[in-house]
Amino acid sequence: TARPNTARTETEYLLGQFVSQTMRVVHTNAAGIVDWLKEYRMAAQNGDLSDPTNLVTTTTYITTGAFVGRVQTINNPDGTRQVYSYSDSSGQRTTTVLSGSPDTANALNVLDGTRTVTVQNQNGAIVSSTIQDKASSITLSSETYSNPDEFGRFRRVTHLDGTYEDTQYACCGLDLTIDRDGVVTQYEYD
């Protein structure tokens, strides 16, 4: 029987010697929907969850609406936060992730860091991905996928600087790639 509010423990050994231990506590709300998960990287084997030297990552989940069950926030042991938001339009899903220093006045915001916007088509393939500096909105990285084949696999990715990479597929998988510098890599199969 599943007990969602019970800690799960994962202990790692190398050559019979203890290496690390992670405990995960999954919490569900009154409706039985997972609303948060805490992952403890234990300071000591079989240690106490309240030990202040544990490294704790807390993940919250959306509990209502169209995106129920999707990640809402991740608070990392180093004090950084990721905030996720989602929207659907014209058969595409846009996922926006704010990453950086937490805004103590708003749990769904970061004060500085980056904003990553990823657009996926109805098949889940990435159409574009852009990373911007949150404070200045300067684009740091951009990739746009184009030239789909008959199976919907994109054959070109164009980068912020205008360079691109091409991929060609054969009957049984990847045939060749041409990187941003024009280097061709041919794949052969036995």
Side-chain angles (χ1 to χ4, degrees):
T1 303
R3 294 177 293 165
N5 295 326
T6 303
R8 274 96 167 139
T9 303
E10 178 182 310
T11 305
E12 297 177 33
Y13 296 91
L14 180 63
L15 301 173
Q17 297 297 311
F18 169 77
V19 175
S20 71
Q21 188 170 60
T22 302
M23 294 186 79
R24 291 176 188 84
V25 178
V26 180
H27 185 268
T28 57
N29 64 17
I33 298 170
V34 173
D35 55 355
W36 59 260
L37 176 143
K38 286 193 178 190
E39 181 176 285
Y40 299 83
R41 295 290 292 183
M42 305 302 286
Q45 186 174 11
N46 300 321
D48 192 300
L49 290 179
S50 63
D51 183 338
T53 61
N54 292 336
L55 300 176
V56 182
T57 301
T58 303
T59 304
T60 65
Y61 297 89
I62 297 172
T63 58
T64 59
F67 303 107
V68 67
R70 293 201 171 269
V71 171
Q72 186 169 43
T73 64
I74 300 174
N75 290 307
N76 300 298
D78 65 0
T80 59
R81 174 183 293 156
Q82 286 82 44
V83 178
Y84 292 75
S85 61
Y86 309 89
S87 65
D88 287 337
S89 179
S90 302
Q92 295 184 326
R93 170 155 301 157
T94 301
T95 303
T96 302
V97 182
L98 305 177
S99 299
S101 301
D103 180 346
T104 57
N106 181 354
L108 299 179
N109 191 32
V110 299
L111 296 176
D112 58 42
T114 60
R115 176 187 299 108
T116 302
V117 178
T118 304
V119 178
Q120 295 173 284
N121 65 18
Q122 65 272 11
N123 299 322
I126 295 174
V127 175
S128 67
S129 180
T130 304
I131 302 173
Q132 295 178 317
D133 176 73
K134 187 169 183 304
S136 67
S137 294
I138 292 173
T139 300
L140 306 173
S141 171
S142 175
E143 296 179 341
T144 304
Y145 297 80
S146 61
N147 193 21
D149 67 9
E150 63 272 16
F151 300 108
R153 299 174 294 193
F154 293 111
R155 295 182 284 196
R156 175 165 285 181
V157 56
T158 304
H159 301 278
L160 178 62
D161 63 1
T163 61
Y164 54 86
E165 299 169 54
D166 286 328
T167 302
Q168 294 179 15
Y169 298 94
C171 69
C172 305
L174 193 58
D175 182 27
L176 69 88
T177 59
I178 304 171
D179 73 12
R180 295 165 85 161
D181 297 318
V183 176
V184 177
T185 303
Q186 180 84 44
Y187 297 85
E188 296 187 18
Y189 302 92
D190 294 338

